Amino acid sequence: QQQVKQSPQSLIVQKGGISIINCAYENTAFDYFPWYQQFPGKGPALLIAIRPDVSEKKEGRFTISFNKSAKQFSLHIMDSQPGDSATYFCAASRGDYKLSFGAGTTVTVRA
Amino acid sequence: GAGVSQSPSNKVTEKGKDVELRCDPISGHTALYWYRQSLGQGLEFLIYFQGNSAPDKSGLPSDRFSAERTGGSVSTLTIQRTQQEDSAVYLCASSSRTRTDTQYFGPGTRLTVL
């Protein structure tokens, strides 16, 4: 049973556009919400993370929006670039280590 | 050394055989994790080691799966009597004791059970 539901499964965006990936969770005990980026043949790499005491966190072109009451969080990639083409995973955990991952979203940025 | 390394990168085995997958964490990292990534699925937590503490084995799917960590460094994930549904990419990650929120992943071992 997947504890974190992620959508869409894939998306295509034009260079310079905005990519939006959504995740929803059920376990209200979750207190850590990271996003990972994975390129083909590589392991996932931590991209950005948020804790439920804030509603938004921005790092460069990447922003997490967090809605505690709706139990949802999303990743926005602004000014998408071809180098952003990858699979993105949301995750959640109680404490930091036992991550529950979403199924992943494959993002393709067209030049 | 650089990041987390895993070997072999690819493993093809026959149903019923045992396999061993190896993980070398980042030097100095006390925490080590194993995950399984099946096609079209997210990563599934398998097991967590932290220093000399008893490992959290709650994610191991059956008693055919086991893992050990020798000397607080290298870890081996063993799958006995492999089944076709064990086919997946097995990922290892490590983190420092104080920053378990930042897990560094290896490239994974792709296991194919024929």
Side-chain angles (χ1 to χ4, degrees):
Chain A
Q1 181 186 356
Q2 202 151 35
Q3 295 196 60
V4 180
K5 290 181 167 49
Q6 183 171 348
S7 63
Q9 188 174 16
S10 63
L11 67 89
I12 299 173
V13 63
Q14 293 296 317
K15 179 182 175 182
I18 301 173
S19 304
I20 301 174
I21 307 169
N22 300 298
C23 286
Y25 63 97
E26 287 298 323
N27 189 343
T28 55
F30 285 152
D31 59 4
Y32 177 63
F33 303 89
W35 285 87
Y36 279 79
Q37 179 187 55
Q38 185 177 30
F39 294 104
K42 304 289 187 182
L46 179 64
L47 185 62
I48 186 173
I50 198 168
R51 295 192 184 272
D53 53 340
V54 296
S55 60
E56 185 175 284
K57 183 173 182 179
K58 182 177 180 180
E59 290 185 2
R61 295 183 294 106
F62 300 90
T63 300
I64 299 179
S65 296
F66 184 80
N67 186 328
K68 188 174 182 178
S69 60
K71 292 185 288 185
Q72 294 176 347
F73 58 112
S74 60
L75 177 70
H76 295 229
I77 306 174
M78 313 299 287
D79 186 27
S80 297
Q81 300 297 311
D84 297 332
S85 296
T87 300
Y88 293 81
F89 294 94
C90 61
S93 69
R94 178 182 181 181
D96 296 334
Y97 76 89
K98 197 168 177 179
L99 294 169
S100 295
F101 282 83
T105 297
T106 300
V107 174
T108 302
V109 181
R110 298 245 192 259
Chain B
V4 177
S5 61
Q6 293 186 244
S7 60
S9 56
N10 282 283
K11 177 71 177 179
V12 180
T13 190
E14 294 178 347
K15 178 182 173 181
K17 301 281 190 182
D18 297 352
V19 295
E20 287 188 349
L21 312 180
R22 178 187 167 104
C23 172
D24 282 87
I26 292 173
S27 178
H29 279 187
T30 59
L32 187 146
Y33 320 74
W34 282 98
Y35 293 87
R36 178 168 70 176
Q37 185 174 22
S38 302
L39 189 63
Q41 302 290 319
L43 284 71
E44 174 190 11
F45 168 84
L46 297 178
I47 188 168
Y48 163 67
F49 295 91
Q50 175 61 282
N52 295 320
S53 303
D56 179 345
K57 304 179 181 180
S58 60
L60 294 178
S62 77
D63 58 8
R64 296 186 296 104
F65 288 72
S66 63
E68 63 176 24
R69 189 177 185 192
T70 54
S73 181
V74 172
S75 177
T76 302
L77 177 69
T78 301
I79 308 173
Q80 296 179 309
R81 305 181 302 282
T82 52
Q83 304 294 312
Q84 289 185 331
E85 60 263 30
D86 299 334
S87 295
V89 176
Y90 290 83
L91 290 157
C92 174
S94 71
S95 67
S96 67
R97 176 180 292 277
T98 55
R99 290 301 307 272
T100 54
D101 59 342
T102 304
Q103 298 181 22
Y104 296 87
F105 283 82
T109 293
R110 181 175 297 278
L111 175 66
T112 303
V113 182
L114 300 176

